[in-house]
Amino acid sequence: MLKIGIAEDDPKIAALLKSALEENDYQVLTVANGIDALDLFSSESFNLLIIDVMMPGLNGIQLCKHLRENTVQTPILMLTAMGTIDDKVTGLEAGADDYLVKPFHLKELLARTAALLRRQPPIEAKTDHKFYFDDLVLDTYSKEVSRGGKIIELSAKEFVLLELFMRNPNRLLSRQFIAEQAWDISFETGTNVIDVYINFLRKKIEKDFERKLIHTKINMGYILK
Amino acid sequence: MLKIGIAEDDPKIAALLKSALEENDYQVLTVANGIDALDLFSSESFNLLIIDVMMPGLNGIQLCKHLRENTVQTPILMLTAMGTIDDKVTGLEAGADDYLVKPFHLKELLARTAALLRRQPPIEAKTDHKFYFDDLVLDTYSKEVSRGGKIIELSAKEFVLLELFMRNPNRLLSRQFIAEQAWDISFETGTNVIDVYINFLRKKIEKDFERKLIHTKINMGYILK
DNA sequence: CATCCATTTTAATCTTGTTTTAAGATGAGA
DNA sequence: TCTCATCTTAAAACAAGATTAAAATGGATG
């Protein structure tokens, strides 16, 4: 069952929303202020959050920002008071996915709710943006890498580095180039991070496999081939 | 400074994007319809184009196609309305590099913008990184050399030296010139590195083959012919 | 705020191969 | 034949990269 969290300080509106949504077979939890909302929405996982902009303590915008900063990805529907047109911009900027101006018809709320929930599985639709090389697959959306069908766990930096190679197959990449692209350093530092990370990558993507993919060209750089 | 062009007919969204991007130190130019966009994007050069699909006159897909036909290679980020999932496919087919479904988080826009800008044109792969002489091929992209289809492994210095010859076929290269170009030494040192490396090269690229390619001109230098 | 854990970076060592030096051999031209 | 430039080879000097461990960093958690 799909689970919806509501942050709304007006008890009448909160009750109205709750009953309307429950009638449509959603499971609903409500909180009456921003602080409680932050606690609840951060600790439990929801399919959708409905947040009122005007709340005592922590308002909807601030709440929204905090949640996004805590990497909460749940779709957020923002409820704004009429007249505050700029709330739309601010709300979206803070990380909301849609907004609704009060007063609204319950019908519209239900429609938008359904739309947002329907939009959740677009992760499946995002099957593009994959790079293939030999039996290695790198997906820039899910940030997943696999070789021969077997998922390989990479850290952020490891992923960025491998992505660079996958975007430039059969091209020799100098350390200088790699440093600029993956580490944003253009000057000469005495570091050997790149070597270390090449080593990390090799351990993860080559160790248990037959073919080597990342080759060293001494005094030149590395090449994926 | 990196320059971004935006084609968006909704002035509010356009302003929002502009200010967000400018805050991140991009230079931004906006146009409000497809026709103007085609004019501007064709005449001035940008590092990235952000194009809304829905626009009066010329829509984003058409604009994208026209630009690509005019050999504009700039990365394009397409903005599509919610729900029109197929726009994604159409957009990418028309030549866009990425797409973003409205409404979106500014954070995500900025992330994708950065990603697209970081990505350098892999189109480079197609053009002239290859030098040919007789049956010898030198590829500056992969740093590979082959003769008669057979791969030849060269060290960095050997490669640089051969590249010098391949860039100057049928030209007599003095030791002085070679020293300056390949070793960055302009003064007279008592070294014989060049002779030694010519010998290394000959062993690798001539030993197993019929025709000699590097010829000695006593008291003058060497020539590839 | 203190602690934990994973990630990222630095540093040091070891191995390997490249680059350079040096010196004797070869060969071309006078 | 003699001389000098070039070729060849081997060894020395050097630097690059692999690898490992340890230190620093940065979130997450209580």
Side-chain angles (χ1 to χ4, degrees), chain A residues 185-200:
Chain A
I185 47 179
S186 50
F187 47 92
E188 181 53 57
T189 65
T191 183
N192 72 332
V193 236
I194 295 174
D195 302 52
V196 174
Y197 265 85
I198 291 285
N199 193 32
F200 286 167

Side-chain angles (χ1 to χ4, degrees), chain B residues 192 199 202 216 219 222:
Chain B
N192 71 332
N199 190 239
R202 280 172 169 159
T216 307
N219 276 320
Y222 299 96

Side-chain angles (χ1 to χ4, degrees), chain A residues 33-164:
Chain A
N33 64 71
I35 309 291
D36 291 352
L38 185 56
D39 275 1
L40 181 65
F41 298 166
S42 299
S43 58
E44 268 187 64
S45 102
F46 291 84
N47 298 99
L48 175 71
L49 302 176
I50 299 177
I51 298 176
D52 187 15
V53 168
M54 296 292 289
M55 277 188 300
L58 196 68
N59 74 34
I61 303 287
Q62 297 166 320
L63 171 59
C64 199
K65 256 188 203 146
H66 278 95
L67 289 171
R68 291 306 186 212
E69 275 161 15
N70 293 354
T71 65
V72 171
Q73 309 245 356
T74 315
I76 293 177
L77 174 60
M78 196 77 98
L79 306 181
T80 80
M82 201 176 103
T84 58
I85 310 172
D86 276 344
D87 276 358
K88 171 199 170 180
V89 173
T90 328
L92 294 179
E93 210 170 329
D97 297 273
D98 203 356
Y99 72 104
L100 206 47
V101 178
K102 290 201 273 191
F104 47 81
H105 297 297
L106 274 184
K107 241 191 207 167
E108 189 170 6
L109 175 87
L110 291 170
R112 301 238 179 179
T113 297
L116 283 170
L117 287 169
R118 204 179 322 117
R119 197 145 66 85
Q120 252 187 327
I123 301 120
E124 291 160 322
K126 294 173 174 175
T127 41
D128 238 352
H129 285 86
K130 287 185 178 174
F131 292 88
Y132 301 87
F133 190 87
D134 199 286
D135 55 348
L136 194 61
V137 182
L138 179 143
D139 186 326
T140 60
Y141 273 136
S142 64
K143 303 283 179 190
E144 261 182 0
V145 171
S146 67
R147 184 167 183 190
K150 200 172 156 258
I151 298 279
I152 296 172
E153 297 293 338
L154 296 187
S155 78
K157 267 274 136 62
E158 287 165 355
F159 187 90
V160 167
L161 181 57
L162 182 58
E163 184 178 344
L164 186 61

Side-chain angles (χ1 to χ4, degrees), chain B residues 97-164:
Chain B
D97 296 272
D98 202 353
Y99 75 103
L100 206 47
V101 177
K102 289 200 275 188
F104 48 80
H105 303 157
L106 275 183
K107 243 189 205 166
E108 190 170 6
L109 175 87
L110 290 171
R112 302 230 180 178
T113 298
L116 283 171
L117 287 169
R118 197 175 331 114
R119 216 182 283 176
Q120 69 300 318
I123 304 117
E124 229 182 316
K126 69 174 189 193
T127 41
D128 55 1
H129 314 91
K130 288 189 178 175
F131 292 89
Y132 302 88
F133 189 86
D134 199 286
D135 55 348
L136 193 61
V137 182
L138 179 142
D139 186 333
T140 61
Y141 188 81
S142 63
K143 304 276 181 192
E144 265 182 357
V145 170
S146 66
R147 185 166 183 190
K150 200 172 156 260
I151 298 278
I152 296 172
E153 296 291 341
L154 296 187
S155 80
K157 268 272 137 65
E158 289 163 355
F159 187 90
V160 167
L161 181 57
L162 181 58
E163 185 178 342
L164 188 60

